Amino acid sequence: MQTRLLAAIGLASLTAAAPPPAAQPGRLPANVVPMHYDVRIDADAKALAFTGQETVTISVAQPTRRILLNAAELNVGAVRLDGTVAPVSVKTDEAAQTLTIDFAEPVATGTHRLAIGWSGRINRSAAGLFAVDYQDKRGAQRMLVTQMEPADGRRVLPMWDEPAAKATFTLTASAPRGQTAFSNMPAQKVEKGADGGTVTTFQPTPKMSSYLLFLGIGDVERKTRMVGRTEIGVITRRGALDQGDYALDSAARLLSYFNDYFGTPYPLPKLDMIAAPGQSQFFSAMENWGAILYFDRAVLLDPDFTTETGRQRVFTTIAHEMAHQWFGDLVTMRWWDDLWLNEGFAEWMDGHATIALNPSWNYDAQLVAGAARSSQVAMTADAQSSSHPVVQRIATVDQVAQAFDTITYLKGDAVIRMLEGAVGEEAFREGVRRYMARHAYGNTVTEDLWRALSEAAGRPVKPFMDTFTKQAGVPLVTVGAPRCAAGRTTAALSQGRYGLDAASKTPQRWIVPVEATAGGAEATKMISGAKPQPFAVPGCAPVIVNAGRTGYYRVLYGEAHFRTLADGFAGQQLTDQLGLMGDALGLANGGYAPLSRAFDLIGRIPANADPLVWNYAAQQLAALDASLEDGPVRDAFRARAITVLAPAWGLTGFEARKGETPAVSQLRETLILRLGGFGDPRVVQGVRGLVARGIDTIPAAVREPVLTVHLTQATPAEWEAMRKRAAAAKNPAASRSLYERLGLAADPALAERALTLALTDEVAAVPDRASLISGVAAAHPALAFDWAVAHAAEVNGLIETSARPGYIVGLARGGTDPALATRVQAYAAKALPAESRQGAEAAISTIRAAARLKQARGPALAAWAKAG
């Protein structure tokens, strides 16, 4: 293909040229597009610098004197068109992140070769080509990898850095002696370099978006396995290869599953999983086609640190990134407005595959009430005035970065789950298969997916899905008093809006697919509008609305109806128990129902309840505790919480028991954290005993929660001992884990020491410094925010450019003081452009909502604590 393209290149002679078409805001003009890139990168890891040369085969739609593409932080040198034609002007615009090339004569319609040389810098945070620094037994080491998404490919090479500008890439890279270069495709040719190293040319990629290009260079090891015609590999730092065995096993299972589900086999010859020994504040893995980049904790199972939750997280992260090889890589959204087509669907698919392949995890229930990634988390974010539609308008680079948020991922996941439930699993899968086959190697908008799903389902899905994707907010379904007659139960249902602040409670209309059961078969009906609509369900048992919890809405029952459901709580399905608990607390937070409902359900949990129910109860009690200040009321609340959770602790203790389920192991992790935070003497003393016997002897299944509790409550001497241990560690995972937790100290003086430490070279890896600051923010949001504002230049230097607008303001999100929200607002107004304040607005909204809750919850929390 490359030979044919080069043979066709020629420069026609024209005397006039039309001006290039106007670009949309933040986008390149469409008159010149790339077809193929031939790229060479020569990196100097020690100097943190690199040089590059490329020849881009371009297609010119109409004569033009100007070619505009993206470049950022690159020093552009020689530029030639078709080997001989020199431009009259080459200009970079760092603000616009563009490279403008002007020619004296018009460039003719047709195919041309554009050659560019440049140099750039290797970053120390995850943007463009960046260094991953780590220590091992041999001393300081450095690996180089790339992160191009969403708009950092332009920091590596001049390119048309937009999702729809798909092209093929042939990449050549040099590597020093003893190191290996690796990329999206297998090596096509490896030659000896002038310095004793190697120069590797990789096979051409499929047609793909620029942000999927990947290059890595380092002292690595690789292990592989064949699945059909695909070679699956794991690439790690030297000495850690065996920690990738679980990833290889998981990827093998997932590849077979996805090949079948999508109906389009994975098209590349290999699929590598690269484990970089580092981290970012903003992502844990990136779906580069054929060369998925993971930070090591997201893909490796370190035998010293991996908990059950961590093991499951590795599987779901691999599932997410592998799902992207279809949703995102093979078929890509046309522009970032539809980012959810990538992220929401990958989030949904990783859950779908996990449920199918690991039934013992009860992962469908975890998606209802998980601590970090569940529909409850999505609705909390979506019920605030700072929320935004799933499909949103994106115009700037900062807005692209801000779009990778809870709404895009978790609400996207939740509404897809709801859609699958509404049309049926088989019809949904057939629609996805049509979408993949129809748009392979192309770009789409949301309506393209609706079209394929509607064809498969035999009915339109766009009308009701538009109400969930084109407007922000959470529906509230109110259930009237049920009545039973002739073996059927009827209740009047109406649709309103659930919100946590005044602006999010204004009337709004959705078309809501409601599922309900009354002990018999489920019934489904679309509910829309505030006018009550009769809903009939087979059976005469208490009506459960949103049965199975596939719907994205909250359910408000009348008092008598709720009491009936509470009385039968122990006999309900697991997902319905968790959903009822989530709605009870969520409705109390919004002022729709009393907080006593949430306490009532927690009090009815039987001792032998599923561990996931106890897990969620512990999470809810910890969230309520956060609304209290230190003092007698908090002491009494914690004492009662410890008593309530005592049966759960009886299920777990510190030691794993033979034959226990994964959910019991996860419950143990949660209880160590939550009961330790409440000051439960059994847990606190147990943690101290485990640490005193030696960190290396703490079982891996509880090491991280034990160290978290220990460092949260550490004395200055204990804190300093852990700091020295972190500095001396030769295992990068061990060092990183300890440095992160140093920021969690409850003692404000130690928190300030952690902040000071974050700006020193003791913490060698720059991303680890940012993580230390984030750790402080978890316990001291106001302290971390105010300190970061005072040191904004240094703190921003730790963060990749595109993510800076959200980092410092995000440190404040855990606060409950309205004055902190005011300071965030003032900082954003001074430091951030108006279009870059989505993160600030979310932080402000969250703080103010927490402040209102703190005031509103006070009497109910005190009453519950006193009653204990």
Side-chain angles (χ1 to χ4, degrees):
M1 178 178 176
Q2 182 182 23
T3 302
R4 290 197 299 274
L5 287 172
L6 294 176
I9 290 173
L11 180 62
S13 176
L14 294 176
T15 57
Q24 298 182 47
R27 299 167 73 169
L28 298 172
N31 63 318
V32 180
V33 295
M35 300 167 65
H36 179 78
Y37 295 80
D38 268 304
V39 183
R40 172 160 177 163
I41 301 292
D42 293 286
D44 185 339
K46 291 183 179 179
L48 291 175
F50 70 95
T51 60
Q53 305 90 39
E54 69 181 359
T55 298
V56 190
T57 305
I58 58 175
S59 175
V60 178
Q62 61 188 58
T64 180
R65 288 189 174 90
R66 172 168 291 178
I67 296 176
L68 186 68
L69 61 159
N70 294 115
E73 300 175 351
L74 300 178
N75 297 311
V76 176
V79 176
R80 291 290 184 273
L81 184 72
D82 295 327
T84 59
V85 180
V88 296
S89 175
V90 177
K91 295 179 180 178
T92 56
D93 183 333
E94 286 300 329
Q97 299 185 359
T98 55
L99 171 64
T100 302
I101 306 170
D102 289 321
F103 295 90
E105 298 296 328
V107 179
T109 300
T111 305
H112 301 271
R113 291 181 301 169
L114 180 67
I116 305 173
W118 71 93
S119 62
R121 72 167 186 254
I122 298 171
N123 293 309
R124 298 192 68 192
S125 58
L129 180 61
F130 69 99
V132 178
D133 294 325
Y134 61 97
Q135 292 274 346
D136 64 14
K137 294 178 180 179
R138 299 168 298 165
Q141 307 293 331
R142 174 168 286 172
M143 181 188 296
L144 302 181
V145 291
T146 56
Q147 169 61 16
M148 307 273 199
E149 189 186 34
D152 288 321
R154 63 194 68 177
R155 301 180 197 281
V156 183
L157 60 144
M159 57 165 54
W160 280 258
D161 200 12
E162 297 183 349
K166 287 193 169 186
T168 54
F169 295 79
T170 298
L171 178 62
T172 299
S174 60
R177 181 180 300 173
Q179 296 195 14
T180 303
F182 40 101
S183 185
N184 306 79
M185 299 295 288
Q188 180 171 278
K189 179 174 61 175
V190 181
E191 300 174 307
K192 188 174 182 179
D195 60 353
T198 57
V199 177
T200 302
T201 298
F202 298 95
Q203 295 177 19
T205 71
K207 186 179 179 183
M208 67 184 193
S209 298
S210 57
Y211 72 84
L212 298 173
L213 184 64
F214 175 80
L215 171 64
I217 303 169
D219 182 11
V220 298
E221 297 179 289
R222 182 171 184 253
K223 182 182 289 189
T224 64
R225 175 180 303 180
M226 292 300 297
V227 177
R229 294 186 296 176
T230 304
E231 182 182 75
I232 298 177
V234 62
I235 296 174
T236 74
R237 62 180 173 86
R238 188 165 299 279
L241 190 59
D242 290 345
Q243 296 177 25
D245 289 345
Y246 178 72
L248 275 177
D249 291 341
S250 300
R253 299 172 65 204
L254 285 161
L255 185 61
S256 297
Y257 180 84
F258 288 146
N259 279 338
D260 175 67
Y261 187 90
F262 289 118
T264 300
Y266 176 76
L268 277 66
K270 77 166 183 74
L271 176 56
D272 275 326
M273 298 174 284
I274 296 105
Q279 64 177 318
S280 166
Q281 291 295 294
F282 307 101
F283 72 99
S284 60
M286 172 60 206
E287 65 268 18
N288 313 299
W289 214 358
I292 303 171
L293 174 66
Y294 299 85
F295 290 111
D296 52 4
R297 75 179 67 189
V299 71
L300 302 184
L301 290 192
D302 188 316
D304 292 333
F305 291 95
T306 304
T307 61
E308 174 61 27
T309 298
R311 189 171 73 92
Q312 293 189 21
R313 189 183 303 120
V314 166
F315 187 92
T316 58
T317 303
I318 292 171
H320 182 103
E321 302 308 324
M322 287 184 64
H324 269 311
Q325 306 298 292
W326 287 265
F327 262 111
D329 296 5
L330 180 64
V331 181
T332 314
M333 77 267 145
R334 187 176 300 166
W335 183 245
W336 300 105
D337 294 10
D338 290 290
L339 174 63
W340 87 291
L341 286 176
N342 284 17
E343 299 301 346
F345 268 84
E347 192 80 4
W348 169 79
M349 180 51 91
D350 82 50
H352 195 277
T354 300
I355 291 167
L357 297 177
N358 301 283
S360 68
W361 293 359
N362 278 333
Y363 202 70
D364 54 340
Q366 293 190 50
L367 292 175
V368 175
R373 45 170 302 183
S374 70
S375 56
Q376 302 296 336
V377 176
M379 286 190 278
T380 297
D382 201 23
Q384 299 181 50
S385 56
S386 59
S387 185
H388 61 80
V390 170
V391 179
Q392 57 182 314
R393 175 72 174 139
I394 300 294
T396 70
V397 170
D398 284 352
Q399 287 177 338
V400 174
Q402 292 173 113
F404 289 79
D405 66 0
T406 299
I407 300 303
T408 298
Y409 282 75
L410 299 186
K411 183 178 180 179
D413 169 21
V415 299
I416 294 163
R417 196 171 304 280
M418 178 177 63
L419 174 58
E420 184 196 32
V423 302
E425 186 173 350
E426 290 303 316
F428 186 86
R429 182 172 65 173
E430 174 58 27
V432 168
R433 286 177 168 180
R434 292 187 186 194
Y435 174 80
M436 285 295 156
R438 185 175 297 164
H439 300 288
Y441 304 101
N443 297 85
T444 61
V445 295
T446 296
E447 282 68 21
D448 294 318
L449 180 63
W450 296 162
R451 189 174 301 110
L453 289 170
S454 297
E455 291 170 1
R459 54 194 171 104
V461 303
K462 177 177 167 58
F464 94 84
M465 286 303 293
D466 276 355
T467 68
F468 285 91
T469 60
K470 291 190 174 181
Q471 62 181 355
V474 182
L476 174 65
V477 173
T478 300
V479 184
R483 300 179 182 277
C484 184
R488 294 175 67 82
T489 301
T490 302
L493 273 57
S494 59
Q495 176 258 294
R497 184 177 182 184
Y498 166 75
L500 294 175
D501 52 37
S504 63
K505 292 183 178 181
T506 55
Q508 198 162 297
R509 177 180 172 271
W510 288 267
I511 303 173
V512 185
V514 174
E515 291 189 19
T517 183
E522 288 188 358
T524 303
K525 185 175 182 178
M526 294 288 186
I527 301 295
S528 184
K531 184 178 179 180
Q533 303 169 53
F535 191 106
V537 186
C540 282
V543 174
I544 297 176
V545 176
N546 202 6
R549 307 306 296 190
T550 59
Y552 185 75
Y553 54 91
R554 290 218 180 272
V555 181
L556 177 60
Y557 299 104
E559 185 63 24
H561 193 167
F562 174 80
R563 291 294 162 200
T564 301
L565 292 176
D567 288 342
F569 180 79
Q572 292 171 10
Q573 296 294 318
L574 175 58
T575 52
D576 293 331
Q577 289 178 323
L578 296 170
L580 192 61
M581 292 174 68
D583 278 344
L585 183 56
L587 292 168
N589 291 343
Y592 299 91
L595 186 57
S596 58
R597 287 191 177 186
F599 286 131
D600 188 8
L601 293 177
I602 291 174
R604 292 174 182 269
I605 300 174
N608 64 347
D610 190 286
L612 290 174
V613 176
W614 280 119
N615 200 319
Y616 194 31
Q619 293 176 38
Q620 290 193 331
L621 289 170
L624 293 167
D625 174 73
S627 289
L628 294 169
E629 299 285 353
D630 288 338
V633 173
R634 180 175 244 184
D635 292 342
F637 178 90
R638 289 180 168 183
R640 186 169 185 192
I642 290 169
T643 300
V644 167
L645 294 174
W649 184 247
L651 293 173
T652 65
F654 280 103
E655 299 292 333
R657 301 171 186 177
K658 185 177 180 180
E660 72 180 22
T661 65
V664 171
S665 185
Q666 290 176 288
L667 176 60
R668 179 179 296 109
E669 299 168 42
T670 297
L671 291 177
I672 290 172
L673 290 172
R674 302 312 181 189
L675 290 174
F678 292 156
D680 186 333
R682 297 167 300 177
V683 176
V684 172
Q685 291 169 13
V687 164
R688 289 194 174 278
L690 287 169
V691 173
R693 286 197 294 271
I695 290 178
D696 294 335
T697 67
I698 301 172
V702 296
R703 184 175 297 189
E704 289 201 339
V706 164
L707 289 176
T708 297
V709 172
H710 176 68
L711 280 165
T712 298
Q713 302 173 354
T715 65
E718 291 168 338
W719 189 92
E720 188 62 34
M722 288 299 175
R723 172 185 174 179
K724 290 179 180 178
R725 187 178 180 93
K730 300 304 181 184
N731 179 339
S735 176
R736 190 183 318 123
S737 177
L738 287 175
Y739 273 127
E740 285 179 347
R741 285 165 174 76
L742 288 173
L744 300 175
D747 182 344
L750 293 178
E752 290 186 0
R753 287 172 65 180
L755 291 171
T756 301
L757 179 62
L759 295 185
T760 70
D761 290 337
E762 177 183 322
V763 187
V766 168
D768 291 352
R769 301 178 196 175
S771 184
L772 186 55
I773 298 169
S774 297
V776 174
H780 307 278
L783 172 65
F785 171 76
D786 292 338
W787 177 88
V789 169
H791 299 82
E794 298 97 321
V795 171
N796 279 327
L798 307 177
I799 305 299
E800 43 266 45
T801 304
S802 61
R804 288 173 185 169
Y807 180 74
I808 290 178
V809 295
L811 296 173
R813 289 193 69 161
T816 60
D817 183 356
L820 177 58
T822 301
R823 297 202 298 277
V824 173
Q825 191 170 38
Y827 169 78
K830 179 181 178 181
L832 302 176
E835 66 273 11
S836 303
R837 297 176 189 165
Q838 185 171 307
E841 292 165 0
I844 292 164
S845 176
T846 300
I847 295 166
R848 288 176 175 165
R852 287 190 296 271
L853 281 176
K854 186 174 182 178
Q855 184 175 17
R857 285 172 171 173
L861 295 179
W864 185 78
K866 184 177 180 180

